[in-house]
Amino acid sequence: MSSLNRGVAKVEVTLKWDPSPLGASPHDLDLVAATFTSNDPGSPPAYLVHFGSRSPDGTITLDRESRTGQGFGDDEEMTLELDRLAPSYLRVVVGVAIQQRHGRRTFADIENPLLRVLEGYTELAKHDFAGVPDATAATVAQFTRDSSGAWQFHSAVRGFDTDPQSFGSLMGTT
């Protein structure tokens, strides 16, 4: 983790998984980030960043998105420039949702999922979702702004049984 004085500044979240077996419908996992102007766990997000979107100020972007898990390297990548977020934002929660287009799927149904949270070359967290096998979505990281304005990282894997559309409203309850 970064120096305690400096806090976390710029983070990359990567996600990869193995493609579905031949003949099966594809697995589609999505990275989602929710920003909050309150530390209250029940508050709604100010905005969400997910497939096909980015933050209004360009500080959170989805750099790569896969719908099948095919290819080399990471399937999805999200960059969070926390040090550029306006002072009104106090919390950012990052999660993963499994699209349910082809029937209900949980993390137990996905082959070799792996999420990493990186600051530069430093790995802050690594998750394989083994702790939430029956979940269809999960929060994986939370960043909070402390009283000095520095961002702190908290690894927080919590599973949800919900559809991707409802997941955004539940993310802040971590």
Side-chain angles (χ1 to χ4, degrees):
M1 190 160 151
S2 301
S3 162
L4 293 178
N5 295 335
R6 183 172 68 83
V8 179
K10 183 177 180 181
V11 177
E12 183 177 77
V13 180
T14 65
L15 176 65
K16 67 180 185 174
W17 65 96
D18 289 350
S20 301
L22 191 60
S25 56
H27 302 311
D28 184 2
L29 282 68
D30 291 312
L31 285 172
V32 182
T35 58
F36 298 88
T37 56
S38 167
N39 280 323
D40 174 20
S43 67
Y47 62 83
L48 294 173
V49 176
H50 52 82
F51 54 94
S53 72
R54 64 179 220 155
S55 63
D57 58 4
T59 59
I60 302 175
T61 56
L62 188 57
D63 305 315
R64 180 183 296 174
E65 196 239 333
S66 171
R67 293 182 181 204
T68 63
Q70 293 177 326
F72 295 105
D74 299 313
D75 298 311
E76 301 224 349
E77 293 179 2
M78 182 178 277
T79 302
L80 297 92
E81 295 181 69
L82 299 167
D83 57 340
R84 290 186 47 227
L85 272 171
S88 60
Y89 297 109
L90 303 177
R91 188 166 55 116
V92 178
V93 179
V94 177
V96 175
I98 303 170
Q99 291 293 333
Q100 303 295 320
R101 285 185 214 88
H102 305 287
R104 186 175 185 282
R105 297 215 175 127
T106 66
F107 286 107
D109 299 320
I110 310 300
E111 290 291 324
N112 299 314
L114 181 64
L115 178 126
R116 295 179 350 142
V117 180
L118 305 159
E119 183 179 29
Y121 293 107
T122 303
E123 186 175 82
L124 301 178
K126 186 177 192 178
H127 301 292
D128 63 4
F129 302 96
V132 291
D134 298 326
T136 59
T139 55
V140 294
Q142 179 170 248
F143 301 91
T144 56
R145 194 185 297 259
D146 66 20
S147 60
S148 73
W151 286 94
Q152 303 303 314
F153 167 73
H154 311 278
S155 183
V157 178
R158 181 174 174 211
F160 295 85
D161 187 9
T162 187
D163 61 273
Q165 292 73 25
S166 301
F167 181 50
S169 64
L170 299 172
M171 291 177 72
T173 62
T174 61

